[in-house]
Amino acid sequence: MDVNEFLEAVQKDVGSLCEETDVKDDVIRGMLTNLGVGGSAAILEVCLEGAQNGSDLPYPVMRFHITLAKDIDKELYKDVTFALNQLNTVIASGEYPSIGNFCLYMPLGQIFMSYRMPINTDCLEGEVENVRFFLGTVYEQLDIFADMVMFIANGNELVTMDEYLRYLKTIQDFENLEERAKKLADIVDKLA
């Protein structure tokens, strides 16, 4: 498999998660939809780039950039940054471990998730499987945490990370959006 075939396979896999995909300037873009109870959307961008590798040639990495929220009010930046740090702690060392991290890009007021995956160009067939694993994992993670990210983006102080984690523990079937919506509404109503 050569690099072009690898990128075509990645675009196909991105297409399996996104309603529409396109490629512009070697960046694969797609829209992830129906995330969380609120049915949020996120922009997924994927590209192959070279990472610094000391005095050696740059090492190829796949960069995944997922924009989840935009136009965050500047007055909320401090609270948003704090809440995203709590979320990152949960996915880095808590009960819902995953890949990547959430950030606030202040110049554009955007919440995004980022991950860079080293790619072995001598074994691209195996790397396609690694990309598939990441895409499946990150989709599940986004589906679970999209509602919390929207609470954070809107400056909602009612639903803390602890409250949200308690809510997640009550879910029997994450595929059952009706159950998730009811239980999330119950928590918000109790806190209001």
Side-chain angles (χ1 to χ4, degrees), residues 102-163:
F102 294 93
C103 303
L104 172 64
Y105 184 65
M106 292 179 191
L108 296 177
Q110 295 177 338
I111 294 176
F112 70 94
M113 174 181 232
S114 180
Y115 181 67
R116 284 184 170 81
M117 175 188 297
I119 298 295
N120 181 348
T121 54
D122 293 330
C123 184
L124 290 174
E125 291 86 1
E127 296 297 352
V128 169
E129 291 304 314
N130 289 333
V131 169
R132 281 185 187 134
F133 173 78
F134 170 76
L135 290 171
T137 300
V138 80
Y139 185 85
E140 288 178 10
Q141 176 184 353
L142 292 174
D143 186 49
I144 290 172
F145 288 109
D147 298 310
M148 187 65 203
V149 169
M150 292 302 108
F151 288 137
I152 292 169
N154 292 311
N156 181 333
E157 297 176 5
L158 291 176
V159 181
T160 65
M161 187 59 61
D162 289 336
E163 289 293 337

Side-chain angles (χ1 to χ4, degrees), residues 2-183:
D2 66 21
V3 171
N4 289 331
E5 292 170 322
F6 170 74
L7 291 173
E8 287 173 11
V10 170
Q11 182 179 3
K12 183 178 177 184
D13 289 340
V14 168
S16 71
L17 292 176
C18 300
E19 291 182 10
E20 295 180 29
T21 61
D22 69 349
V23 179
K24 183 177 179 183
D25 300 326
D26 296 325
V27 177
I28 302 165
R29 288 182 182 82
M31 181 70 74
L32 297 165
T33 58
N34 300 316
L35 298 170
V37 170
S40 300
I43 299 168
L44 169 63
E45 297 171 295
V46 183
C47 67
L48 183 62
E49 59 186 24
Q52 293 299 320
N53 191 18
S55 60
D56 292 333
L57 292 174
Y59 197 87
V61 295
M62 291 297 300
R63 181 169 59 95
F64 300 89
H65 183 91
I66 304 165
T67 304
L68 294 124
K70 62 180 186 169
D71 301 325
I72 306 299
D73 185 339
K74 289 182 181 182
E75 293 179 14
L76 298 175
Y77 281 8
K78 183 178 177 182
D79 294 334
V80 166
T81 303
F82 178 79
L84 290 176
N85 183 62
Q86 288 182 310
L87 179 54
N88 286 331
T89 300
V90 168
I91 65 171
S93 60
E95 295 177 51
Y96 299 92
S98 195
I99 301 171
N101 63 344
F102 294 93
C103 303
L104 172 64
Y105 184 65
M106 292 179 191
L108 296 177
Q110 295 177 338
I111 294 176
F112 70 94
M113 174 181 232
S114 180
Y115 181 67
R116 284 184 170 81
M117 175 188 297
I119 298 295
N120 181 348
T121 54
D122 293 330
C123 184
L124 290 174
E125 291 86 1
E127 296 297 352
V128 169
E129 291 304 314
N130 289 333
V131 169
R132 281 185 187 134
F133 173 78
F134 170 76
L135 290 171
T137 300
V138 80
Y139 185 85
E140 288 178 10
Q141 176 184 353
L142 292 174
D143 186 49
I144 290 172
F145 288 109
D147 298 310
M148 187 65 203
V149 169
M150 292 302 108
F151 288 137
I152 292 169
N154 292 311
N156 181 333
E157 297 176 5
L158 291 176
V159 181
T160 65
M161 187 59 61
D162 289 336
E163 289 293 337
Y164 196 79
L165 291 174
R166 277 193 281 281
Y167 148 73
L168 289 178
K169 289 177 185 176
T170 68
I171 304 300
Q172 299 294 318
D173 177 9
F174 282 98
E175 299 295 319
N176 185 340
L177 284 179
E178 189 175 311
E179 173 195 11
R180 286 171 58 187
K182 181 186 180 322
K183 289 186 176 188

